[in-house]
Amino acid sequence: MAAAIALDAGTYRYAFAQRGVPFGLYFTGVHLAVTFTGALGGAVGVLQRLGTRE
């Protein structure tokens, strides 16, 4: 998660600067949820692939 935040620091900075703190907090929460969901889906897919025998 720290890597995701660090890599998107400019995006968060822009959201806070242009739209204010309430939107910035909302954006950060939604963005991290989407990032986490994608990472979790990728990890599950890799584990499923490694667990199949063909």
Side-chain angles (χ1 to χ4, degrees), residues 47-54:
L47 291 174
Q48 285 178 339
R49 177 67 178 137
L50 292 174
T52 59
R53 294 180 183 240
E54 290 187 36

Side-chain angles (χ1 to χ4, degrees), residues 4-50:
I5 293 171
L7 291 172
D8 289 330
T11 304
Y12 297 122
R13 195 168 28 255
Y14 181 83
F16 276 92
Q18 295 297 314
R19 301 290 302 267
V21 173
F23 177 80
L25 293 173
Y26 168 78
F27 176 81
T28 300
V30 170
H31 193 262
L32 289 177
V34 169
T35 301
F36 178 74
T37 302
L40 182 61
V44 168
V46 168
L47 291 174
Q48 285 178 339
R49 177 67 178 137
L50 292 174

